[in-house]
Amino acid sequence: MSRKIIRKSPLLEKFHQFLVSETESGNISRQEAVSMIPPLLLKIQPHHKILDMCAAPGSKTAQLIEMLHADMDVPFPEGFVIANDVDNKRCYLLVHQAKRLNSPCIMVVNHDASCIPALQVDSDSKKDVLLYDRVLCDVPCSGDGTMRKNIDVWKKWTTSNSLHLHGLQLRIAVRGVEQLAVGGRMVYSTCSLNPIEDEAVIAALLEKSEGALELDDASADLPGLKYMPGVASWKLMTKEGQWYSDWSEVPKSRHTQIRPSMFPPKGPEKVASMHLERCMRILPHHQNTGGFFVAVLVKKAPMPWNKRHPKLRKDFSSSSAAMTGGSPVTPSPEDTPQLLSEEADGGVPVETVDGAAQQEALHGAPKEAGAGGDGACGPPPSKKLKLFGYKEDPFVFLTEDDPVFSAIQSFYDLSPDFPKLNVLTRTHEGKKRHLYMVSKELRNVLLNNSERIKVINTGVKVWSRNSDGEEFGCAFRLAQEGIYTLQPYVCSRIIRVVMNDIKVLLTQENPFLSKLEEDAHAQAKQMGMGSVVLKFIPNSDNPTEPQCPIQLCGWRGKTSIRAFVPRNERLHYLRMLGVEVFRDKQGLGQKKEEGGPQEWKGVEGEKEKEDDDAAEVEKEVEPGDGSEDGSSGAKNGSSSRRNVS
């Protein structure tokens, strides 16, 4: 049923409250069923490095993060997700979606996906180009597969939509496979059923790859899914209603709008070798969903344009001659990649860029014939990275001997293996307000690429400054967002609690220590004032209790104790414990629900400005409706018209 009915119906009010609060705390994501298919076909493992090229609003990104954290006992999986979007404002919606999951393995960046920069990482004391194990390429599209629910499509759809988008879709897909490691998987998907946005892009990609890419047969990966195989022949129609079945029929006046790559591949052998039937076309009537297209590509070898020795521009050769005072010196094939890579990355030398795969990640695909005069290439002029939108605070990693660590180390008795180098803050000067943690792999990416990429957000908050805490030995209190990441390293300040203790802590504003059960009360009395971890360990002999560990941040006061937990998470834990949390819209109940105790507001009020920006974007989207179809603007700057589902 529609959002409107769920929101307005008195009978469903309780259910609506449940949906909103659980979505806000990251325990539920509402999403179109077919939109969930691409991440499933990527076959994510916790060690995979993943690039999500057109990620906003972030529902698929949330799936990817969830898959990385398949083993909840591992606080820092080896893999990570770099989620990109071209639209600066939509990046904050993406941050809002991703931050609900409290992962140290997600980084949100703001770039045009068709020319997203190659990143460098330290590997065995040398610089290497970062190649991804998995790439999700959910490109901007005309959205005609959403016509069942999206009234806009009926009014605005024309045949020229796909003609305008095809080039962008192909450029994004090409950039995706360039940054994919050999043996990696890339999923290309659209919510359009137009072959010019679907099979035409895949066929052009396969043709460019000259055997380096292969369409994978994913039919066994989702048993029971109904779909049609991809098509191998189609015609092209202009806005005026003219049909073309071959490039040779297109008049010269149309050559800028209609390109050869939009037509089906020629020749039965070529068509058979591409296996376009392995693409998946999911039609709305198959299982009462939206329309969707998915193709899974596997990279078998480096892309062919990176194996060839590039020709040098004439002006480059002559300048070389001038510098050497003699005849033009053409660099040897071994020297050329080094020379090109230095220039391509704005003058930053790449010490070990010597593989074809790394070359393609750095330089990208060649332009189409005719685009570059005689087809020669050379070092482009170095360009300064243009940044749009809000200027982000810096990401500053702490050193192991940073003065903040001494108090934290002794107060929380951090274990020796605590990764201090993975802690960062957002300011170079002044007092540090919050401390965040990232995985060591993302730290590697951040340190080596601060000039190359615009990072919007990364890291999970683990400590927040609390000036009152200084008199008790530590100026930083634990943050609920990062408690599951940090707690394995915290060896003191832990109070073991039982179910009744959690009920008291989450329903009473500032309960006296005596309100706790005897065991927890005794532990709290022996502990000094300050931040604490309240830890519930499940009892398998009592199935009526929650069978998962619960960890809450708290504050041990002089005679009382309180939980520092955001409102929606409080509601979540209380529901798990069987406590009725529904508040009727009439009377005092609603007042308590909306305002809550002052302390609750205080904890929730400590938001970073990136959260505030996300909230600005969120105003147009009801909480929880950041589904794949929840975009109010065009995805990646296209005319995508996916509506709020």
Side-chain angles (χ1 to χ4, degrees), residues 120-129 352 358 444 448:
Q120 290 178 13
V121 287
D122 289 324
S123 176
D124 301 325
S125 71
K126 60 185 182 184
K127 299 266 191 231
D128 271 347
V129 174
T352 61
Q358 297 189 350
N444 191 348
N448 285 289

Side-chain angles (χ1 to χ4, degrees), residues 142 156-166 194 197 237-240 257 639:
S142 59
K156 296 184 179 177
W157 184 88
T158 73
T159 53
S160 58
N161 290 2
S162 54
L163 303 183
H164 295 152
L165 286 166
H166 171 88
N194 192 326
E197 301 180 57
M237 184 184 173
T238 64
K239 197 173 182 179
E240 294 75 33
Q257 295 94 27
S639 57

Side-chain angles (χ1 to χ4, degrees), residues 442-515:
L442 268 188
R443 177 182 185 273
N444 191 348
V445 173
L446 268 169
L447 287 176
N448 285 289
N449 300 281
S450 58
E451 298 300 315
R452 263 186 204 85
I453 49 169
K454 181 177 181 186
V455 180
I456 300 294
N457 194 276
T458 192
V460 60
K461 190 196 295 180
V462 287
W463 280 292
S464 287
R465 181 174 286 280
N466 179 5
S467 49
D468 294 342
E470 285 189 47
E471 58 186 284
F472 310 125
C474 184
F476 287 90
R477 67 167 179 81
L478 297 161
Q480 182 65 29
E481 295 98 309
I483 192 65
Y484 289 95
T485 300
L486 187 63
Q487 198 278 319
Y489 302 103
V490 175
C491 300
S492 73
R493 309 291 304 171
I494 298 170
I495 299 174
R496 287 278 298 273
V497 293
V498 294
M499 210 163 101
N500 285 340
D501 294 327
I502 296 180
K503 286 180 184 177
V504 167
L505 288 161
L506 295 181
T507 54
Q508 298 184 27
E509 189 176 323
N510 224 1
F512 287 112
L513 294 173
S514 56
K515 293 278 185 81

Side-chain angles (χ1 to χ4, degrees), residues 204-219:
L205 198 55
L206 291 170
E207 193 159 352
K208 278 175 181 278
S209 79
E210 297 176 16
L213 295 174
E214 188 180 277
L215 263 175
D216 191 49
D217 183 0
S219 56

Side-chain angles (χ1 to χ4, degrees), residues 47-48 65 128 144 152 172 180 334 338 361 363 400 422 426 431 531 563 588 616:
H47 63 275
H48 282 157
I65 297 168
D128 271 347
D144 57 32
D152 230 23
I172 293 173
L180 186 64
E334 292 80 21
Q338 168 70 24
H363 306 302
E400 283 192 305
N422 296 3
R426 299 297 302 273
K431 284 192 171 181
S531 191
L588 295 173
E616 286 297 315

